[in-house]
């Protein structure tokens, strides 16, 4: 394992990726091969609406692509109420690395992901992204979390749940074969958040679509995530003072101070929040007018969110948020529209009742009613949730790198810990290690950011080195092509000035990084991966 020896600039690394972005001569028929795809029915119910070769690159949305590529815009219509948009970007034949990448999306969004597509294109991949069967309403204050598209459109719900990505993948792989004259050697899918949810859908429902996945912060039960988001929003829906910018900042700062040293190292990060059981009542104001403390309402809200969604009989519907994740609570659970993607999920998607209000959600009755709701000819859970069944994916040699941030404020890491535990229980540890590996990043927020360690590729940020020890995508390719599985990654903390200030091993779960007792605590080489002490 090669470790980071010097401080490097992420900006410099990003600039290096654009070396050689000049226009290439069209000496392999790229322009003609591209334009010839226009109007083709490339797969059942999937047509290419336009195909344009851009020798100087172009701009998609606000994303500038400074390399030549063939831009394909397609549409899939598996039902009369379906409108699945997708784009495929193809590098020139001379730049193609021979492989294909699908790119995930976030939230309940209806839009392609041009940023990840550009990243893939620069790395030489043919790449695809889908709008999941609907477009974001630019006038909707909820943005990508809005659910108006699902109201009275059950087929669009199915498209978003699993069908759009599958059909877009099938069509995109056909496009690749038509443009290059041969199929991609390997097919990968890279995603986080809702894209991670879709990655699990693909691996369990369509195991032949992709050879490997890098997916993180994946809500394997979307319905459970919505229960959790609604539960977490109740305090602010009842009293906006329960979650404020000031209260979450105080709670986060004081909780980290209380639990930082539990791993034996003071570094501003709660390495494993399961060790931290501090009652937020410790931070309650003892007298009126006192600062740097919480009101009784704010303490009650914190306790509520840490506990997780439960029925009155104690049945857990969704694990609670962990300590150390509080910095993101206002955006997710407070503000003008608490609840994130669940803000309109029950009234417009599930119950189809515009008068329904989340503040009145009955976690006993409404949770049961929701799970029994029919979507076309299926139940809500059959459309939106996964089962832990990788039998066919594992049998065909598929590989899955699963990751999550320990400080995620949107999707509690306990949900992904639960999923991994179920996978290991089904297949046994040895067989699980052969195809499915889980990496938890201390102090990382939702898909990236936070006070801890990230920057290991994919959504987590640009790696500090361009190799499989630092980049999950490169590690996936190495695992798929040469059966060399990753055991750890070197994560980094990056300052606002884009400088790497510290590095740390990101160990394969359930191992964790432990300081060896000598050397600089900001350098990864002074840590080792070991089994955690019993809690």
């Amino acid at each position: 394992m090669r470790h980071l020896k010097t401080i490097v600039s992420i900006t410099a690394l990003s600039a290096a990726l654009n070396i050689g972005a000049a226009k290439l001569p069209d000496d392999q028929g790229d322009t003609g091969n591209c334009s010839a795809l226009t109007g083709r029915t490339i797969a059942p119910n999937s047509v290419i609406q336009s195909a344009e070769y851009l020798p100087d690159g172009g701009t998609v949305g606000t994303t500038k692509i400074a390399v030549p590529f063939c831009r394909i815009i397609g549409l899939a219509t598996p039902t009369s109420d379906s409108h699945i948009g997708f784009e495929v970007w193809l590098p020139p034949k001379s730049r193609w690395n021979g492989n294909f990448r699908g790119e995930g999306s976030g939230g309940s969004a209806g839009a392609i992901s041009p940023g990840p597509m550009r990243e893939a294109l620069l790395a030489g991949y043919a790449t695809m992204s889908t709008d999941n069967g609907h477009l974001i309403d630019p006038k909707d204050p909820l943005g990508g979390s809005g659910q108006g598209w699902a109201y009275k459109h059950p087929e669009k719900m199915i498209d978003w749940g699993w069908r759009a990505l599958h059909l877009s993948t099938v069509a995109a792989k056909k496009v690749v074969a038509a443009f290059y004259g041969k199929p991609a050697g390997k097919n990968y899918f890279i995603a986080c958040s809702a894209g991670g949810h879709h990655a699990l859908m693909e691996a369990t429902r369509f195991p032949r679509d992709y050879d490997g996945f890098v997916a993180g912060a994946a809500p394997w039960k979307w319905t459970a995530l919505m229960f959790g988001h609604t539960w977490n929003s109740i305090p602010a829906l009842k009293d906006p003072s329960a979650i404020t910018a000031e209260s979450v900042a105080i709670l986060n700062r004081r909780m980290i101070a209380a639990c930082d040293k539990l791993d034996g190292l003071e570094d501003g990060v709660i390495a494993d929040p399961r060790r931290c059981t501090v009652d937020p009542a410790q931070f309650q104001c003892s007298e009126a007018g006192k600062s740097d403390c919480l009101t009784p309402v704010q303490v009650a809200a914190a306790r509520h969110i840490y506990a997780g969604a439960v029925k009155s009989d104690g049945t857990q519907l969704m694990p609670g948020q962990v300590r150390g994740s509080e910095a993101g609570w206002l955006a997710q659970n407070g503000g003008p529209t608490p609840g994130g993607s669940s803000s309109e999920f029950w009234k417009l998607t599930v119950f189809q009742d515009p008068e329904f209000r989340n503040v009145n959600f009955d976690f006993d009755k409404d949770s049961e009613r929701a799970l029994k709701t029919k979507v076309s000819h299926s139940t809500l859970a059959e459309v939106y949730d996964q089962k832990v069944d990788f039998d066919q994916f594992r049998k065909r040699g598929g590989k899955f790198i699963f990751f999550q941030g320990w400080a995620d404020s949107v999707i509690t890491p306990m949900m992904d810990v639960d999923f991994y535990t179920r996978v290991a229980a089904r297949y046994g540890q040895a067989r699980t290690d052969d195809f499915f590996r889980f990496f938890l990043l201390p102090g990382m927020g939702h898909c990236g950011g936070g006070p801890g360690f990230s920057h290991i590729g994919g959504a987590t940020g640009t790696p500090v080195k361009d190799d499989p020890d630092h980049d999950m995508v490169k590690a996936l390719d190495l695992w798929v092509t040469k059966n060399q599985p990753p055991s750890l990654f070197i994560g980094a903390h990056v300052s606002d000035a884009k400088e790497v200030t510290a590095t740390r091993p990101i160990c394969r779960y359930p191992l964790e990084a432990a300081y060896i007792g000598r050397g600089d605590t900001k350098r990864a080489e002074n840590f080792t991966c070991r089994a955690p002490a019993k809690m």
Side-chain angles (χ1 to χ4, degrees), residues 16 19 93 163 178 297 388 425:
I19 292 175
K93 288 182 180 180
R163 189 162 55 197
V297 169
V388 182

Side-chain angles (χ1 to χ4, degrees), residues 217-462:
W220 66 287
K221 283 188 176 180
W222 191 262
T223 55
L225 179 68
M226 296 299 98
F227 291 142
H229 282 183
T230 302
W231 174 274
N232 294 343
S233 70
I234 296 298
L237 287 171
K238 291 182 176 180
D239 183 346
S241 74
I243 300 175
T244 67
E246 182 182 22
S247 73
V248 297
I250 291 169
L251 180 59
N252 182 248
R253 182 174 66 254
R254 298 195 66 177
M255 193 62 74
I256 289 177
C259 296
D260 183 3
K261 296 181 183 179
L262 292 177
D263 62 345
L265 192 65
E266 186 173 8
D267 56 3
V269 173
I270 301 176
D272 186 336
R274 292 175 298 183
R275 295 191 183 95
C276 183
T277 59
V278 172
D279 188 337
Q282 293 187 22
F283 314 134
Q284 184 170 315
C285 301
S286 58
E287 56 189 75
K290 193 172 182 180
S291 62
D292 199 36
C293 54
L294 305 177
T295 68
V297 169
Q298 291 164 350
V299 169
R303 284 175 164 175
H304 179 87
I305 292 171
Y306 292 140
V310 294
K311 293 183 178 181
S312 59
D313 64 1
T315 301
Q316 187 100 52
L317 295 171
M318 177 69 180
Q321 287 298 138
V322 299
R323 287 153 174 82
S325 68
E326 302 84 7
W329 284 9
L330 179 63
Q332 182 64 30
N333 308 317
T337 54
S341 289
S342 77
S343 296
E344 295 182 331
F345 185 72
W346 306 115
K347 72 176 183 178
L348 295 183
T349 301
V350 182
F351 300 143
Q352 303 274 305
D353 176 7
E355 301 304 313
F356 185 84
R357 296 293 178 266
N358 282 9
V359 70
N360 300 320
F361 194 94
D362 185 318
F363 288 89
D364 287 341
K365 297 178 182 178
D366 287 331
S367 63
E368 290 298 319
R369 178 163 69 110
L371 292 175
K372 293 177 181 177
T373 296
K374 286 289 187 178
V375 181
S376 190
H377 301 294
S378 303
T379 66
L380 182 71
E382 287 171 339
V383 172
Y384 280 94
D385 296 349
Q386 282 94 25
K387 294 180 180 178
V388 182
D389 183 357
F390 292 92
D391 290 4
Q392 295 305 312
F393 179 72
R394 185 185 69 84
K395 192 174 294 184
R396 68 173 294 258
K399 308 298 181 186
F400 205 116
I401 295 177
F402 197 45
F403 69 92
Q404 171 63 295
W406 263 130
D408 193 329
S409 60
V410 178
I411 299 170
T412 172
M414 299 313 300
M415 188 181 208
D416 285 351
V417 169
D418 175 49
F419 184 76
Y420 178 79
T421 300
R422 291 169 183 262
V423 173
R426 180 181 180 102
Y427 297 104
Q429 193 63 60
R431 287 199 296 173
T432 298
D433 287 347
D434 284 342
F435 82 98
F436 195 98
R437 297 199 170 197
F438 184 30
F439 297 86
L440 277 158
L441 291 85
M444 188 179 84
H446 184 57
C447 296
F453 301 90
S454 53
H455 289 271
I456 57 172
T460 72
T462 305

